[in-house]
Amino acid sequence: MSTKFRAAIIGSTGYGGVELIRLLLSHPNVEITSVISSSSAGTPIADGYPHLNQIMLDKLDGIDIDEIKQKSDVVFIAAPHGVAIELAPKLLDAGLKVIDISGDFRLKSGEVYEQWYKHKAADPTYVEKAVYGLSEVFADEVKGTEFVSNPGCFPTATLLGLVPLVSKGWADLSSIIIDSKSGVSGAGRGLSLTSHYSEINENFLAYKVNKHQHTPEIEQVLSRVAGEEVVVTFTTHLVPMTRGILSTMYVNLKGKHTEDEIIEMFQQYYEGRRFVRIRSKGKWPATKEVWGSNYCDIGISLDERTGRLTVISVIDNVVKGAAGQAVQNLNLMMGWDEGAGLAFTPVYP
Amino acid sequence: MSTKFRAAIIGSTGYGGVELIRLLLSHPNVEITSVISSSSAGTPIADGYPHLNQIMLDKLDGIDIDEIKQKSDVVFIAAPHGVAIELAPKLLDAGLKVIDISGDFRLKSGEVYEQWYKHKAADPTYVEKAVYGLSEVFADEVKGTEFVSNPGCFPTATLLGLVPLVSKGWADLSSIIIDSKSGVSGAGRGLSLTSHYSEINENFLAYKVNKHQHTPEIEQVLSRVAGEEVVVTFTTHLVPMTRGILSTMYVNLKGKHTEDEIIEMFQQYYEGRRFVRIRSKGKWPATKEVWGSNYCDIGISLDERTGRLTVISVIDNVVKGAAGQAVQNLNLMMGWDEGAGLAFTPVYP
Amino acid sequence: MSTKFRAAIIGSTGYGGVELIRLLLSHPNVEITSVISSSSAGTPIADGYPHLNQIMLDKLDGIDIDEIKQKSDVVFIAAPHGVAIELAPKLLDAGLKVIDISGDFRLKSGEVYEQWYKHKAADPTYVEKAVYGLSEVFADEVKGTEFVSNPGCFPTATLLGLVPLVSKGWADLSSIIIDSKSGVSGAGRGLSLTSHYSEINENFLAYKVNKHQHTPEIEQVLSRVAGEEVVVTFTTHLVPMTRGILSTMYVNLKGKHTEDEIIEMFQQYYEGRRFVRIRSKGKWPATKEVWGSNYCDIGISLDERTGRLTVISVIDNVVKGAAGQAVQNLNLMMGWDEGAGLAFTPVYP
Amino acid sequence: MSTKFRAAIIGSTGYGGVELIRLLLSHPNVEITSVISSSSAGTPIADGYPHLNQIMLDKLDGIDIDEIKQKSDVVFIAAPHGVAIELAPKLLDAGLKVIDISGDFRLKSGEVYEQWYKHKAADPTYVEKAVYGLSEVFADEVKGTEFVSNPGCFPTATLLGLVPLVSKGWADLSSIIIDSKSGVSGAGRGLSLTSHYSEINENFLAYKVNKHQHTPEIEQVLSRVAGEEVVVTFTTHLVPMTRGILSTMYVNLKGKHTEDEIIEMFQQYYEGRRFVRIRSKGKWPATKEVWGSNYCDIGISLDERTGRLTVISVIDNVVKGAAGQAVQNLNLMMGWDEGAGLAFTPVYP
């Protein structure tokens, strides 16, 4: 009989769910005991994902709180927003640990949630309990919690590039502009014209300009770190590739700092955090350099002509931007090595 | 005997040159009388570009000013920077019209040219003569000139999105940030690791951050339009696609304007200019929507939370960003219909 | 008042329809008088296809035979199979010329149609009238007909590579194997997991192995040319690109022929047919070399070790494989220059 | 002091070498003790491969047999052909185990090698010693050998799909046609126009038709298994993607067999070999379903109309087609679990 920690995954047929399966299958302390999908319950998961043939023979389970409680210690919710609002409280009440990958519990204000998500907000009691799992920034809060709300993909890439500056008080808070670019997998497996191959291949476009629901999430964290309200300009673009996010961030500095100083400050901020890598002077990261891995790589450029700072950060949206950070948060919750099950090299080329 | 206007193309084996061939082959008033390449002289052009089999049987000529003078009325120079510096003066002195697609004659200051291009600047007498061919903005100057310096690809997309705002005095000139993204063909046919398929496919990256040589070109035009010196922040990124540029531009407004007002102002600015299309409220263009065509499409979003304006413009970098605008400039120089040889629909999908 | 030939397009919101619009907009003898879509009637076509902004202002019409009769001389049907079965007879009875791009009237045997298309076959009277519009092979029949059934994309690429060999009696008819590869646009704009970007990007797969409905179409033509029944092996694959088909065809030769002889025979077979280009010895075509154009390029390799011939042909599936050949057929029907409206250069790169 | 098995990698800056690094970094029994590159010796490997930042800090070594002998137990040679011809004998003479990923020792006939590779063949004494490491077919020979010649990428995908049929005597040996398609990484990191992004993106083409140097390698193995000389037709195509090979193979059967029988025969042939997965009836594999992994997936289709069998196999060319199978062979040589260091799930999507 296994003594591993038992994980259930709700939303196993989405890209976030199937990536959780990939990561947890090689996690030394965890075993997957239930893959759950309300839409495909009863069929083998490999039917919809043939890459799992002979790797995962399990049939998909339906959603049954009692059964989940019997079979698992932690539940990952990798479902579209709105689902966790219903399920997370029940799972928590059943004594399970919960890591929610959706946006349902990220925003502390229900009003703000409803405005940006166009959906009824979650019960505030549970929103209060949720720890925002930006692992490198809020590790101390994640340790020992029962309930993690995993950050969005854009906020992860963006905040890791901005928090040191804001935390240190170096940023002119009224000047922050974030120009983000994402691969198509961020939109999930649901069919839509904006994920249709012939429309997106050899194409580049902006979408949800000034309207993306990750805007208040970024602002909430920056405001908390700054100790005052921060408003940002945030634009998202779609890149004709499957995985990867790159955020280009523009910040006016309040005081005088050299590029070297800023790079060093970033390195100190992330000292000991293996998954954030700061590039040396004159080098900027590419999304492919973190492909399939949990790294966030950051490069910095100070324009002496304008005094404006450009910060560039990259992640794999499916890993560090979703499933990988969720596993990292589980590791933190459990007091395991932060990199357990995540210590693999990016796939290159 | 043909009575068409005779065109020679120097640099016919680059992507700009080969696109000029495509466009001029269907131009009603022009015939190509010489395709010139110093490196491949003597071989049929279809050897290196099999898509031209049975379309263009010509062998490539070498560079011989006398021969060019005999055979042509206008010369397009589509060579790497540094070449036109030598050739353009000779061709002009020989009485030919010249349209230079390289950066050699765009910057009025030799000092600035040398700083950004790391190459000795052109003879100031000829720099002075060169008309900057941003067709929709400087059409009056292009009409009747003998010598056009064709704008760079990034400046074309960017300036068409910014000039109306600056011209009207609505932009806070110290606030301009330009985040540009380009397909790989902009780097040309020369081999390099950053154009190597396995490195760039499924990848997205920033390059030449705060160092791109198109920066002073953009600033020169904005300064001229503004009547005062303008400095911008300009970042370029590489998109895993062949053609297309999208520029996302951030501008603080000096006064209060509604989104509707701004859109209407843009529409008025470009009234009668068929190749600039302003999108209606809430719509932003995608690069694919101008693919293979001479259009520049522009979308506008005003964020009422920050008072900041976002302008998004797209072009096909090989057409409007190079060969197409060069043909448009020839049309203007000659007093022909601006769209002669360019009146085709984008290829979609 | 225009004296141009008036064309209506049924299925204007599919990729075949929208490509017909692109081609006919630059056709010297034709004007588009009605763009028709049963699903989107009443909305401007540019709403769904923004690349047509300021190019085509028309609203989509519904299907009304009387109205079509009033407004047009020829009707292109670019709808999914099953639609033309109903409409084509009515349009023909109304005295209109009809060019059907679907598979509905290609197979002379209703039984075979029903077996491969899983749909009730068309009225045999009209099937009998339909001329199979493989332009280079059946031009004589197309001239003067009122009703063309336009070939499928795979059959076009494949038959142009095989018909000369079969026609000449050089092919061992029992040996023909066709390995075809297609870009994703062949599957149309309808949403499906096999056209979903994240599934198809960086992926290559076979589909409908030994079951593709173009198999009997290829066999019907080869049998007719051979004068005896021909059965082929036909496999289709999906390539992560938008446009392009490449067919690799394997044929055992009945007698002894050199590679030079075979190439010459192909050149003679297609003499005077501008859209078929035979590559010289040791050269094979790439799909990009016909991109956006009506060309079919063919390369040939004879393996002296096995005595087996390899024929490689490429087309742009949306042009020569659909809309372009349809326009070519209209030209033939009307006695116009075969290349009217089609004389453009492939877009490269 | 480590008691792990010590590996050196010659050719560490090629794609095969850098993938060996990725795989060996997570191998439980192995440590990398030297990364070697004659061209980049002295520089940190992460300079050329930033994805290795903070993962592998080593500087590249030059080639020094004595030093290699001091530092390592096994040497992987991942260099272009011609290099191992010189180095492998010296390394073997020094008492090291050698796994050569190049084509230098695959062909038993020096004459055939020189004909296809246009390079002087290796010393026959060492050619004789080399065991052809097609792991699932020749595992017994690999066990205990000191010198493995690792199969080519196309032969791996192809032979795993054909050997069961030939071994069983079911194939008409004169009928074998192999139509292979490969991603661009197979051509390596060396710059060339056929790996230039703008040329290959949105493009599909055949290359080296009837001339690929993997032809005699495939024939050698099939002939050995058949016990008689086998000649095949083999065509290679380039797919616009980075990783993946798909081989479509056509074989006439000698006797009568149902599809079910054939599938069952394949399953039995590969019983207990975890890295070959046979798809069930009516299912064919896609390259993405093995992406980043050591699997070879195979699908089968029998066309009852022609009696011809179609076998479709897929691999990741960089893993099972190169570095992965090399690690698998090390595992077999050492008597370790065949899947040590290779037990990871394909990355999807």
Side-chain angles (χ1 to χ4, degrees), chain C residues 49-344:
Chain C
Y49 284 104
H51 74 285
L52 292 176
N53 263 313
Q54 297 181 28
I55 294 175
M56 171 153 277
L57 303 175
D58 303 27
K59 288 191 181 167
L60 289 155
D61 292 325
I63 297 175
D64 177 324
I65 303 290
D66 286 339
E67 198 188 338
I68 296 171
K69 187 176 172 177
Q70 294 301 323
K71 291 170 94 167
S72 54
D73 303 308
V74 63
V75 182
F76 293 89
I77 307 178
H81 70 81
V83 174
I85 286 176
E86 301 302 321
L87 289 180
K90 294 178 190 165
L91 296 164
L92 289 164
D93 290 352
L96 291 157
K97 293 183 197 304
V98 173
I99 299 177
D100 176 28
I101 294 184
S102 84
D104 283 355
F105 291 88
R106 294 182 198 144
L107 299 177
K108 292 303 177 191
S109 155
E111 195 184 343
V112 172
Y113 179 87
E114 294 180 359
Q115 179 191 339
W116 291 83
Y117 283 82
K118 316 292 179 204
H119 188 281
K120 177 116 185 53
D123 178 340
T125 317
Y126 293 90
V127 173
E128 204 49 49
K129 284 184 188 167
V131 169
Y132 186 76
L134 188 64
S135 310
E136 281 75 12
V137 175
F138 301 118
D140 289 347
E141 297 177 21
V142 173
K143 281 170 197 166
T145 187
E146 303 296 302
F147 185 22
V148 164
S149 174
N150 214 55
C153 50
F154 286 119
T156 296
T158 299
L159 290 168
L160 291 175
L162 289 175
V163 160
L165 288 165
V166 170
S167 163
K168 197 80 176 179
W170 291 9
D172 171 352
L173 299 175
S174 72
S175 74
I176 300 173
I177 293 176
I178 301 151
D179 191 284
S180 289
K181 300 89 175 174
S182 175
V184 183
S185 63
R189 210 186 206 195
L191 303 181
S192 78
L193 206 54
T194 51
S195 298
H196 194 60
Y197 186 88
S198 299
E199 302 286 318
I200 295 307
N201 177 43
E202 190 69 7
N203 197 1
F204 186 88
L205 59 125
Y207 66 101
K208 293 190 187 175
V209 181
N210 290 320
K211 299 271 181 277
H212 198 286
Q213 72 277 11
H214 286 170
T215 311
E217 184 179 339
I218 292 168
E219 291 177 345
Q220 175 179 286
V221 175
L222 292 182
S223 298
R224 184 179 159 195
V225 172
E228 61 179 282
E229 204 192 331
V230 179
V231 177
V232 301
T233 291
F234 176 52
T235 313
T236 47
H237 305 78
L238 200 59
V239 186
M241 62 185 189
T242 302
R243 285 171 179 242
I245 280 178
L246 184 146
S247 274
T248 310
M249 293 160 276
Y250 301 95
V251 181
N252 293 341
L253 293 182
K254 287 206 294 202
K256 273 272 181 202
H257 301 281
T258 65
E259 212 171 66
D260 287 331
E261 273 182 281
I262 300 164
I263 290 173
E264 199 188 328
M265 186 272 279
F266 268 78
Q267 282 168 335
Q268 284 172 358
Y269 188 91
Y270 289 115
E271 189 151 26
R273 309 313 300 266
R274 61 190 294 179
F275 291 120
V276 177
R277 305 187 292 190
I278 309 301
R279 290 296 159 85
S280 59
K281 195 171 174 170
K283 307 275 185 188
W284 305 284
T287 59
K288 202 176 185 71
E289 291 161 7
V290 298
W291 209 97
S293 83
N294 200 49
Y295 291 99
C296 175
D297 287 10
I298 297 173
I300 281 157
S301 173
L302 179 62
D303 185 4
E304 305 207 337
R305 301 164 62 253
T306 60
R308 205 172 271 137
L309 188 70
T310 306
V311 181
I312 293 167
S313 69
V314 299
I315 60 169
D316 181 320
N317 57 304
V318 192
V319 189
K320 182 62 175 170
Q325 189 159 237
V327 173
Q328 189 179 0
N329 281 325
L330 175 64
N331 291 340
L332 291 171
M333 286 163 83
M334 301 298 296
W336 300 333
D337 171 26
E338 181 180 31
L342 296 169
F344 38 77

Side-chain angles (χ1 to χ4, degrees), chain A residues 163-175:
Chain A
V163 162
L165 289 165
V166 171
S167 162
K168 197 79 177 180
W170 292 9
D172 171 352
L173 298 175
S174 70
S175 73

Side-chain angles (χ1 to χ4, degrees), chain B residues 29-273:
Chain B
N29 307 345
V30 177
E31 72 174 328
I32 301 167
T33 49
S34 179
V35 283
I36 297 168
S37 163
S38 55
S39 59
S40 308
T43 63
I45 189 164
D47 278 12
Y49 282 105
H51 74 285
L52 293 176
N53 264 313
Q54 298 180 29
I55 294 175
M56 170 152 278
L57 304 174
D58 303 29
K59 288 188 180 168
L60 290 155
D61 291 325
I63 297 174
D64 178 325
I65 303 288
D66 286 340
E67 197 188 337
I68 295 172
K69 188 176 172 174
Q70 293 301 321
K71 291 169 93 166
S72 54
D73 303 309
V74 64
V75 182
F76 292 89
I77 307 179
H81 70 82
V83 174
I85 285 176
E86 302 301 321
L87 290 180
K90 295 178 189 165
L91 295 164
L92 289 164
D93 290 352
L96 291 157
K97 293 183 198 306
V98 173
I99 298 174
D100 176 27
I101 294 184
S102 85
D104 283 354
F105 292 88
R106 292 182 199 145
L107 299 178
K108 292 304 177 190
S109 155
E111 196 184 341
V112 172
Y113 179 86
E114 294 180 359
Q115 180 192 338
W116 291 84
Y117 282 84
K118 316 292 178 202
H119 189 282
K120 176 114 187 51
D123 179 340
T125 319
Y126 293 90
V127 173
E128 205 48 49
K129 284 185 188 166
V131 170
Y132 186 76
L134 187 63
S135 310
E136 280 75 12
V137 176
F138 301 117
D140 289 347
E141 298 177 22
V142 173
K143 280 170 197 164
T145 188
E146 303 295 302
F147 185 21
V148 164
S149 175
N150 214 56
C153 49
F154 285 119
T156 295
T158 299
L159 291 168
L160 291 175
L162 289 175
V163 161
L165 288 166
V166 171
S167 164
K168 197 79 177 180
W170 291 9
D172 170 352
L173 298 175
S174 71
S175 74
I176 301 173
I177 294 177
I178 303 151
D179 192 284
S180 289
K181 300 89 176 172
S182 175
V184 184
S185 62
R189 211 185 206 196
L191 303 180
S192 79
L193 205 54
T194 50
S195 297
H196 194 61
Y197 186 88
S198 299
E199 302 285 319
I200 296 308
N201 178 44
E202 190 68 8
N203 198 1
F204 186 87
L205 58 125
Y207 67 101
K208 295 190 186 177
V209 181
N210 289 321
K211 298 269 181 280
H212 199 286
Q213 71 276 10
H214 286 170
T215 311
E217 183 179 338
I218 292 167
E219 291 176 345
Q220 174 178 286
V221 175
L222 292 183
S223 299
R224 184 180 159 195
V225 171
E228 60 178 284
E229 205 192 329
V230 179
V231 177
V232 301
T233 290
F234 176 50
T235 313
T236 47
H237 304 78
L238 199 59
V239 187
M241 63 185 188
T242 302
R243 287 172 178 240
I245 279 179
L246 183 145
S247 274
T248 311
M249 292 160 279
Y250 301 95
V251 182
N252 292 342
L253 293 181
K254 288 206 293 202
K256 272 272 180 202
H257 301 280
T258 65
E259 212 172 66
D260 287 331
E261 272 182 281
I262 301 165
I263 290 172
E264 198 187 330
M265 186 270 280
F266 268 79
Q267 282 167 337
Q268 284 173 356
Y269 188 91
Y270 290 114
E271 187 151 28
R273 309 314 300 265

Side-chain angles (χ1 to χ4, degrees), chain C residues 37-50:
Chain C
S37 163
S38 56
S39 59
S40 308
T43 64
I45 188 164
D47 278 10
Y49 284 104

Side-chain angles (χ1 to χ4, degrees), chain D residues 158-175:
Chain D
T158 299
L159 290 168
L160 291 175
L162 289 175
V163 160
L165 288 165
V166 171
S167 164
K168 197 80 178 180
W170 291 9
D172 170 352
L173 298 175
S174 71
S175 74

